[in-house]
Amino acid sequence: QIEIHELNNEMVKFTLSGTDLATANALRRVMIAEVPTLAIEFVTIDINTTVLHDQFIAHRLGLVPLDSKDVDRFKYQRDCSCLGGCQECQVRLTLNVKNTTDEFKDVTTKDLNVEDQSGVWPVHTSDEDAIVIVKLGKNQELKLEAIAIKGIGKEHAKWIPVAVATFQIEPIIKLNEDVMDSLNERQIKMFVDSCPTKVYSYHEERGIEVIDKKRCVYCRECLKALEEEDTEDIEDLVKIDQSQDRFIFSVESTGVRPPEEIVLQSLMVLKKKLEDMENSVKEVRKQQNR
């Protein structure tokens, strides 16, 4: 079961429940390594009089995020029946910039042009967020052709669709009402203020309350703050345990695919792996029973 807490164009935060730690970590790893995207793989440089050598520029181009919302309609180049590449397995981009002024000129992802109507463009193309590839001095020029293909992060980091894919085990926080009643106001405020992520709040009528247990990072600063206090059973004021079946995910996309799409694609990949494993086990059993 998935409970979504936050969703926007860049990231999604959700709680995965009803499963174990191994499955949650498998999902995280699939998001990083096995969700397909498009990235520049081949670069042919015709003219380069910049300060950067060809390999450096090719490497920078490979790390440029490309819009991969329609990546499923492309084939992996190794699976395509064509010879030398076609519109079903690759996207062709060109760049041709020359500085004819006395000032430095930025060559950015805005200068990359897509040769066909593939609908694939660099993610960052506006004046505000375009990625600088190289700077040109007076009379310097850069002309090249690049080929983008489909791939996964397991093959190279440039195909990784996420900037962040992490999860934490949901904490279980229990306050001891009897010990709380024995604390004075100064000790209570010390306990509440000691939490760096502000998990707790204090009200004169209701006492200490847990505002949002998902903020807890298991630092135990709340317990350390009262260690020197001469109060009976002070160590029993709060008990912090880890849930066995609830995991809080934070997934931030690089912009190549929507974050919710990355999560759904990861679930599909993980399901396919389990189905393949099941079929393989059945096949082995059939062979053993012959």
Side-chain angles (χ1 to χ4, degrees):
Q1 185 177 351
I2 291 179
E3 306 166 34
I4 298 177
H5 307 299
E6 181 181 343
L7 174 62
N8 54 46
N9 293 333
E10 296 179 352
M11 71 176 304
V12 59
K13 290 185 178 181
F14 64 91
T15 296
L16 177 69
S17 59
T19 187
D20 58 12
L21 180 62
T23 304
N25 193 47
L27 179 62
R28 180 191 66 86
R29 290 174 64 90
V30 169
M31 289 183 201
I32 296 171
E34 298 190 56
V35 173
T37 63
L38 295 167
I40 292 173
E41 174 74 347
F42 307 107
V43 179
T44 302
I45 297 181
D46 298 320
I47 302 174
N48 178 18
T49 58
T50 72
V51 295
L52 300 182
H53 54 72
D54 294 356
Q55 292 88 343
F56 202 113
I57 292 174
H59 181 265
R60 289 182 64 81
L61 288 168
L63 297 176
V64 170
L66 300 179
D67 190 323
S68 302
K69 295 183 182 67
D70 296 327
V71 66
D72 290 338
R73 68 181 176 85
F74 288 91
K75 297 179 181 178
Y76 289 103
Q77 200 167 56
R78 57 181 174 271
D79 298 331
C80 191
S81 58
C82 70
L83 297 175
C86 66
Q87 291 188 357
E88 293 185 358
C89 66
Q90 69 178 33
V91 178
R92 191 181 304 274
L93 303 97
T94 61
L95 186 148
N96 187 4
V97 182
K98 184 174 182 178
N99 185 10
T100 57
T101 69
D102 293 333
E103 304 295 329
F104 286 105
K105 180 180 179 62
D106 291 342
V107 179
T108 70
T109 48
K110 189 172 62 174
D111 298 308
L112 282 169
N113 299 305
V114 180
E115 288 293 283
D116 50 36
Q117 300 299 318
S118 62
V120 177
W121 294 90
V123 173
H124 306 283
T125 55
S126 67
D127 292 334
E128 294 77 18
D129 65 358
I131 300 171
V132 177
I133 299 170
V134 67
K135 291 179 180 287
L136 299 182
K138 183 179 180 180
N139 294 327
Q140 289 183 344
E141 184 178 3
L142 180 62
K143 181 180 179 181
L144 58 85
E145 182 181 278
I147 301 294
I149 64 173
K150 183 178 179 179
I152 56 176
K154 186 187 292 186
E155 300 169 359
H156 193 282
K158 63 187 175 185
W159 282 297
I160 295 177
V162 291
V164 175
T166 62
F167 73 87
Q168 73 173 75
I169 303 172
E170 184 175 272
I172 300 172
I173 303 175
K174 296 179 180 179
L175 294 171
N176 189 317
E177 298 289 342
D178 295 332
V179 179
M180 188 193 305
D181 292 339
S182 68
L183 300 179
N184 57 45
E185 188 172 345
R186 179 188 63 82
Q187 291 173 321
I188 291 175
K189 288 184 177 179
M190 182 187 301
F191 173 83
V192 172
D193 294 341
S194 66
C195 179
T197 56
K198 308 302 178 187
V199 172
Y200 311 102
S201 67
Y202 170 63
H203 301 277
E204 292 185 4
E205 297 180 356
R206 300 191 298 272
I208 301 174
E209 292 183 332
V210 178
I211 302 175
D212 188 357
K213 63 182 179 180
K214 295 190 293 293
R215 297 179 185 175
C216 181
V217 292
Y218 301 99
C219 65
R220 308 188 77 81
E221 288 295 326
C222 53
L223 293 175
K224 296 176 184 177
L226 297 176
E227 282 181 351
E228 298 180 0
E229 295 295 315
D230 187 19
T231 303
E232 188 177 355
D233 298 327
I234 192 69
E235 66 277 2
D236 297 327
L237 174 60
V238 61
K239 184 179 181 182
I240 304 175
D241 292 321
Q242 293 182 335
S243 172
Q244 298 300 309
D245 63 350
R246 290 180 64 85
F247 309 93
I248 305 167
F249 277 78
S250 294
V251 180
E252 181 181 345
S253 171
T254 59
V256 295
R257 300 184 72 170
E260 68 275 16
E261 191 178 288
I262 294 172
V263 176
L264 291 173
Q265 182 74 36
S266 300
L267 291 169
M268 291 172 62
V269 171
L270 194 55
K271 181 182 178 182
K272 179 68 164 54
K273 284 178 171 289
L274 293 173
E275 289 174 348
D276 291 345
M277 174 64 74
E278 183 182 22
N279 293 333
S280 297
V281 171
K282 288 180 179 179
E283 186 64 29
V284 170
R285 286 178 177 174
K286 283 182 181 179
Q287 293 177 0
Q288 290 176 343
N289 294 330
R290 289 176 181 174

